[in-house]
Amino acid sequence: MTKKNAFYAQSGGVTSVINASACGVIQAAKQYDQIGTVYAGNNGILGALREELIDTYAEDDATIAALRHTPSGAFGSCRYKMKSLEANKAEYERLIEVFKAHDIGYFFYNGGGDSADTCLKVSQLSETMGYPIQAIHVPKTVDNDLPFTDNSPGFGSVAKYIAVSTREAGLDVASMCETSTKVFVLEVMGRHAGWIAGAAGLASEAAGQPPHIILFPEIAFDKARFMARVDECVKEHGFCVVVASEGTRYEDGRFLADAGNKDAFGHTQLGGVAPTLATMIKDELGYKYHWAVADYLQRAARHIASATDVEHAYAVGEAAVHKAMEGKTAIMPCIVREEGEEYRWHIGEAPLSEVANVEEMMPRDYITEDGFHITEAAYKYFAPLIAGEDYPPYKNGLPQYASLKKVFVEKKLDGDFAIK
Amino acid sequence: MTKKNAFYAQSGGVTSVINASACGVIQAAKQYDQIGTVYAGNNGILGALREELIDTYAEDDATIAALRHTPSGAFGSCRYKMKSLEANKAEYERLIEVFKAHDIGYFFYNGGGDSADTCLKVSQLSETMGYPIQAIHVPKTVDNDLPFTDNSPGFGSVAKYIAVSTREAGLDVASMCETSTKVFVLEVMGRHAGWIAGAAGLASEAAGQPPHIILFPEIAFDKARFMARVDECVKEHGFCVVVASEGTRYEDGRFLADAGNKDAFGHTQLGGVAPTLATMIKDELGYKYHWAVADYLQRAARHIASATDVEHAYAVGEAAVHKAMEGKTAIMPCIVREEGEEYRWHIGEAPLSEVANVEEMMPRDYITEDGFHITEAAYKYFAPLIAGEDYPPYKNGLPQYASLKKVFVEKKLDGDFAIK
C-alpha cells in the first residue's frame, strides 16, 4: 500500500465529544505507516475548499490526547452543505485538486445527516472523477437522528446534562414551591426529534418526580390539555416541572416559538418555547413561574459528559481509520447495541447510501399514550447512554481544555477558491 | 446546662450547598449532650409558625451525611419575611409558643439578608418576651451580597457553574462562528449586584478569550457603546460572547428585561435580558445570535459545585452550633479570608445588628474602567472561591441526592395558626 495522507473535518453543530472522535481518528492513524499525516480542515470542509489544512501531527501527543476531554470542534466546524455534483461541479473539482496537491487518499468526515450525504458524494468522486479516495463518515449529532447506529455520539452527553439539570432544578422548585415558583419550564434542543427532551425523563425515578411534563416535537401541542395537566400537577405535587423541546409545535405545524407575537416595535417576538409557555401558564393559571433555556450550554457541557458517550465517540473515530485501512469506503462506523439485560455494544458499519439524509424520529412507543412522558421502553433505551462520568482535568477550579497550535500546511495551489 | 432542642430552618432562594450547612448543623449538634434533637422547619420559618417540625435525628446518619452533596433545600425553604414586632406581634408570640411547646432553646436560621433580620428579631424576643433563646444566623445566598463575610456560601458554586459554562459555550461559538452564530448571550442571576456575572470573567485566561463582554447591574447600560464593542469583538475575534446579569439596567434605572415591549396580545413581553440583547444585536448589527438563560440550573447545579464553597457551607453550619454552645446569640459565623498569596480562611463572627438588611455591591475597582470586564483584583477575589471539585455520587448516570423520611413531630398546640 502506498503512503497517503488523510483529511479529517468536523461538520455542523458541534458536541461535547466530537473532539473525542478526532482524537480517535488521529491516534489510530498514527498506528499505520500507510498514513503519512492527518490534515484537519480549518472550519470543516471549508478548510479543504480553501486549502486551509492543519497538520495534526504537528501537535504534541498530550494535546491530541486532551482532545478526548475537550468540547466543541477544536479544528472549527461549519454549516455548509455541498450541492449535488451537477449543481456545483467546480466545488468537487476543487476538492479533488486539493486532495491531489496534498496527496490525500482518506477522507474522514465527522458530522450528522447532511455530512453523511457529502461524504457519500466524495466517495463517488473516486469513480466519476477518477481520483482514488476512501471516504468514511464518522457519526456525530446531539439530535440522535442518524439511522442505523443505535445512538449518535454527542447525544448521550446532552442527555446526561439535561437529565442531571432537570433533577437538580426539580429539587430547587420542590423546595421553594410553598411560597414561590410553582411552575418551571426548561427548553431543550431538538427541533425535529424529541430525543433530548425525552432524556429528561430519566431524572424521574418514581411517580411524581420531575419532570412532570415533557413536550415533544412528535406530539402536537394541545394548549387546553397541557394547561389541565399543569394545573393538576401543581394541585397534586405543589409544583410542576416542564421540559419542552424547542421544536414543540401546534397541530398545524407552527412552532410555539414562532407563534407570531410581535413586540412594541413590530418585530416578531423572539420567543423561545420556554418563555412562551411560561407566559401562557401565567395568563391561564396565574402560577408564579421561572424558565430556563439551556441552548449551547447543553451541547458544550463536557464537564458532565457521559463516559459511555465519550467511549462511543472515540470508538467511531478509531474505527473509521481501521475500516479505511481494510479498504472500506462509503460507510459509517456505527454503534450496535447487543441483546441482553446488561448493556453491551460493539462497532458495526452502515452503507452511506442508506444513511444519508434519513432522520430517525422517536418511536411512538417511547412516548406515553398521553404524550407527556417517556415509557419504560424509552427508559431502557436511554439509561445506558448517560452511564458513567468522564471528568476533564481541572486547574484553578476550571476545566483544562486542549489548545491547539494549529500549524497550517503550506498552500500548493494558486489563488483563492470562491465559496458560493 | 439544661438540655434544650434546636430549631433549624432554610430561608429564601436555595443554593446547591445550603444542605451542606444543614449537614454541618445537625452533625455538630449530635456532638453535644445539651442538645436534645434538631427540629427542622418544614418550608422554613413557616414550619415553626405552623408547628410543622421535622425531627432530623429520625433520619439515619447516611442520609444526613448525604445532605452535604444534595442541592436545594431538603427541608423546604420559603420566601416569607417576618414583619416588625410592632406590626405583627401575634406571629412572634406564636413562635415563642411553638418553641416553648417543643422545648427549643436554639434557633439556627439559614438564609440571606432578610433572614439575618428575622434572626436578629428572634434573638430580641429573648429579652422582650422573656423566653430564653439563642439565635444564630447561618449565611447563605448565591447573590454574595452579605456584609462582613468574605463571601456567602452558595455563591462559589454558582460562580464555578457560570465560569465553566461560559468557557464551554465560548469554545462552541468559536468553532462555529465562521458560518453560523457570531454572538452568544448568556443571562445569569444577580438582580442587584454583579457578583455572578463577574465570576464569568474567570473563564477568560488570556486576552480575547470569552467572555468578551460582561454586563453588570452596577454599570448603566449604554446601547451605543455596547453595540460598538460587540461589533469590534466580532471583527477582531470572529465572534463575541456576552454574559449579562439579569439586573442589567439603563441609566434611568429601568431593567433591560422590563423594557416595556408588548406582545401581539398587549402583554408585557417577558423579556429576559438575553433575548432582549440578542434582538437588539440582530436589529442593529445583523449578526446571527444564540442566547441562553441559565436560571435555576445555575443555583441547583450541585454536580459542578465548588469544593471550597461546600467546605464553607458546612463550616458555617457547624460553627453556628459551636458558637451557640459557647453561649453566643445574635451573631452570624462568617468566612474570613487571611492575608497572603495562598488562599486560607477561617471562621469568624459578625454581630447580626450590623449584618441585617445590608447589601454588599461589587466594588467599582473589581470592574474594568470601560465597565465590560473584571479587573485583576476581582480575579484574585473570585478565583479561590471556585477552586476544587466535590462531585456527588452517581448511580445509573445520575447524581444520587438525599431523600428524607421527614418524620414530623407530633403537634402539641391546638388549632392552626393563620399566616398573614
Side-chain angles (χ1 to χ4, degrees), chain A residues 28-43:
Chain A
K30 286 186 173 176
Q31 299 165 24
Y32 292 96
D33 287 341
Q34 301 97 299
I35 297 179
T37 186
V38 177
Y39 295 133
N42 186 42
N43 297 318

Side-chain angles (χ1 to χ4, degrees), chain A residues 140-280:
Chain A
K140 164 245 67 167
T141 169
V142 295
D143 294 332
N144 203 38
D145 57 2
L146 286 169
F148 285 97
T149 187
D150 178 67
N151 56 284
S152 309
F155 169 69
S157 294
V158 175
K160 188 180 184 90
Y161 173 93
I162 294 298
V164 170
S165 298
T166 301
R167 171 164 291 182
E168 291 179 332
L171 287 172
D172 189 307
V173 184
S175 73
M176 298 295 298
C177 67
E178 176 70 15
T179 56
S180 183
T181 299
K182 297 259 189 292
V183 183
F184 176 69
V185 184
L186 170 61
E187 174 176 334
V188 304
M189 285 182 158
R191 197 122 181 116
H192 303 293
W195 296 106
I196 297 175
L202 292 170
S204 164
E205 280 178 309
Q209 285 183 355
H212 304 99
I213 301 177
I214 302 174
L215 298 178
F216 303 90
E218 288 89 348
I219 306 290
F221 178 74
D222 177 333
K223 189 173 168 181
R225 279 188 65 238
F226 173 72
M227 288 300 160
R229 179 57 66 93
V230 170
D231 199 29
E232 189 180 285
C233 185
V234 172
K235 292 196 164 103
E236 190 177 344
H237 308 295
F239 70 111
C240 179
V241 172
V242 180
V243 175
S245 159
E246 60 180 343
T248 304
R249 63 188 89 186
Y250 291 103
E251 184 81 52
D252 64 8
R254 275 178 311 141
F255 287 113
L256 259 71
D258 300 332
N261 291 352
K262 305 273 182 194
D263 67 16
F265 310 105
H267 305 133
T268 296
Q269 192 184 316
L270 259 185
V273 170
T276 303
L277 287 168
T279 316
M280 276 184 195

Side-chain angles (χ1 to χ4, degrees), chain B residues 208 231-239:
Chain B
D231 199 29
E232 189 180 285
C233 186
V234 172
K235 292 197 165 104
E236 190 177 343
H237 307 296
F239 70 111

Side-chain angles (χ1 to χ4, degrees), chain A residues 181 262 270 289-290 295-296, chain B residues 181 262 270 289-290 295-296:
Chain A
T181 299
K262 305 273 182 194
L270 259 185
Y289 61 82
H290 259 246
D295 196 62
Y296 288 161
Chain B
T181 300
K262 305 272 183 196
L270 259 185
Y289 61 83
H290 258 247
D295 196 63
Y296 287 161

